[in-house]
Amino acid sequence: MKTLPAPPRRGPARTAAALGGGAAALTGAAVLSLALGGRPTPPAELWAVLTGEADAFTTAVVASRLARTVVGALCGAALALAGTLMQGVTRNPLADPGLLGVNAGAAAAVVTGTALFGPATTTGALWWALPGALAAGLVAHAVGTRGGDGGTARLVLAGAVVSAVLTAYVQAVSLSMPEVFDTYRYWVVGSLAGRDLDVSLAVLPVIAAATAVALLAAGGLNALALGEEAAVSTGADTAMVRAAALVAAIVLAAAATAAVGPIGFVGLAVPHVVRALVGVDFRLQVPFALLVGPTLLLLADVAGRTVARPIELMVGVVTAFVGAPVLLYAVRRMRGAT
C-alpha cells in the first residue's frame, strides 16, 4: 500500500493523556475483576495471593477470576477492534461485528455440534463455534463482493441474509430438540463464567494475527474514509484494504464469539468512545480500541457479579444495558446530520 496523507491529528499531549488514561482504566478494571465477585477479596488478601502468602481457598478464588479476566480482556479487545474495522469499512457508525452473520454462524455450529455429539465442555464448544463463525462471515463476504466491489450496502444485505437463514436453522433445531436448547440457551447470552486459561490460549494466536492485519490496514482505512473516488486518487488499493479489514474483523469477532458466546454492543459502543478520545485517525483508533474494549467488558462483568449478588448476571445482559443508550445516541446524531 502506498503512503497516504495523514488526517488531522489531535495534539500529542492530548493523545498521550488519552493513552495514559486508557492504560490506567484497563489496569483498574483488571484489578476490580480480580477483587470483586460473590465474595469480595480485600486488597490485603489480593496482595497476599500475588505474593504467594494467601490460603488455598483465597488463592483458588482469585485464580478463577484471573482466568475470566484474561479471556474478558482478549475478547473485549477483539470485539472492539472488530467493530472499529467494520465501521471504518462500511463508513456506518451503526455497524457492529454481528453485521456479517458471525454470531449466527457460531450459534449454528454450537447447535449442530450439540445435536450430533451431545453437550461439550467450554473448550469443546469453542472448536465448534470458531469455524462456524468464520464460515458464516466469509460466505457473507464472498456473496457481498461477488463480481467485484458491490459496495457496503450489498455486503450488509448479504450478512443479513446469512444471519436470517442461520437463525432460522438454530431455532428449528433447538425447538425440536429440548436437550440442545438447554445447552444453547446458556451459551447464547454471552458469559465469561467458567472460562479457563485454555480458552484464552486457544484464541490468542487467532486474535493476535488479526490484530496485526488491522494495524497494517489502519492507514488504508483513513483513505477509505475520504470516499471511494478520493481514496483511489491517493493511490490506495481500496479493494485490498477493504478485504483485509473485513477478514480481520470477521476473524476477531469469530474468535471472541466462539470463546464467550455472542456479546452485543461492545463492538458498537467502543468505536464511538474511541473517536471521542482520539479523533478520526484509524492509526490511533485501532490501538485505543485495544484498551477501551477490554476495559468496558471487564467492568460490565464486574457489574454483573456484584449488582445482584449472590446472583450473577451474564455479561451479555450487562453490555446490552450499556450499549443500548450508545445506539440511541448514534441514531440521534445520524438523524441530526441528515
Side-chain angles (χ1 to χ4, degrees), residues 265-326:
F265 291 105
V266 174
L268 171 66
V270 170
H272 291 272
V273 176
V274 170
R275 281 193 292 271
L277 290 173
V278 299
V280 297
D281 190 345
F282 280 95
R283 289 169 297 183
L284 293 176
Q285 286 190 38
V286 167
F288 271 84
L290 299 176
L291 294 175
V292 179
T295 301
L296 174 61
L297 192 59
L298 290 179
L299 290 178
D301 186 48
V302 169
R305 282 185 266 165
T306 57
V307 168
R309 191 187 296 144
I311 300 173
E312 179 176 324
L313 298 177
M314 292 186 177
V315 69
V317 176
V318 180
T319 57
F321 279 103
V322 174
V326 175

Side-chain angles (χ1 to χ4, degrees), residues 10-82:
R10 303 198 173 186
R14 182 170 181 178
T15 300
L19 178 62
L26 177 56
T27 302
V31 171
L32 289 176
S33 182
L34 293 176
L36 299 179
R39 175 187 178 276
T41 303
E45 293 185 16
L46 185 59
W47 178 254
V49 171
L50 298 177
T51 57
E53 299 176 356
D55 59 81
F57 176 77
T58 303
T59 301
V61 169
V62 174
S64 66
R65 292 176 186 165
L66 175 63
R68 71 188 293 168
T69 299
V70 172
V71 74
L74 279 175
C75 293
L79 291 171
L81 186 50

Side-chain angles (χ1 to χ4, degrees), residues 20-311:
L26 177 56
T27 302
V31 171
L32 289 176
S33 182
L34 293 176
L36 299 179
R39 175 187 178 276
T41 303
E45 293 185 16
L46 185 59
W47 178 254
V49 171
L50 298 177
T51 57
E53 299 176 356
D55 59 81
F57 176 77
T58 303
T59 301
V61 169
V62 174
S64 66
R65 292 176 186 165
L66 175 63
R68 71 188 293 168
T69 299
V70 172
V71 74
L74 279 175
C75 293
L79 291 171
L81 186 50
T84 300
L85 295 174
M86 288 297 301
Q87 293 185 16
V89 170
T90 63
R91 288 185 289 160
N92 181 354
L94 300 182
D96 76 339
L99 193 65
L100 296 183
V102 172
N103 291 348
V110 169
V111 164
T112 301
T114 304
L116 294 177
F117 306 108
T121 63
T122 300
T123 306
L126 168 68
W127 296 116
W128 294 342
L130 184 57
L134 283 171
L138 293 175
V139 166
H141 178 262
V143 173
T145 58
R146 185 178 180 182
D149 181 15
T152 57
R154 181 174 172 180
L155 187 65
V156 171
L157 181 60
V161 171
V162 170
S163 294
V165 171
L166 292 177
T167 299
Y169 166 77
V170 167
Q171 291 177 345
V173 174
S174 59
L175 291 177
S176 62
M177 303 178 68
E179 66 279 8
V180 174
F181 176 74
D182 191 54
T183 299
Y184 169 73
R185 66 192 177 97
Y186 287 105
W187 178 85
V188 75
V189 178
S191 174
L192 305 183
R195 271 62 179 181
D196 54 29
L197 289 177
D198 289 341
V199 174
S200 298
L201 292 175
V203 298
L204 178 58
V206 178
I207 293 175
T211 300
V213 174
L215 290 169
L216 292 174
L221 290 175
N222 286 334
L224 288 181
L226 301 174
E228 192 71 24
E229 293 183 2
V232 171
S233 68
T234 64
D237 187 344
T238 57
M240 178 65 73
V241 171
R242 186 177 288 110
L246 281 174
V247 171
I250 290 169
V251 171
L252 288 164
T257 303
V260 298
I263 295 178
F265 291 105
V266 174
L268 171 66
V270 170
H272 291 272
V273 176
V274 170
R275 281 193 292 271
L277 290 173
V278 299
V280 297
D281 190 345
F282 280 95
R283 289 169 297 183
L284 293 176
Q285 286 190 38
V286 167
F288 271 84
L290 299 176
L291 294 175
V292 179
T295 301
L296 174 61
L297 192 59
L298 290 179
L299 290 178
D301 186 48
V302 169
R305 282 185 266 165
T306 57
V307 168
R309 191 187 296 144
I311 300 173

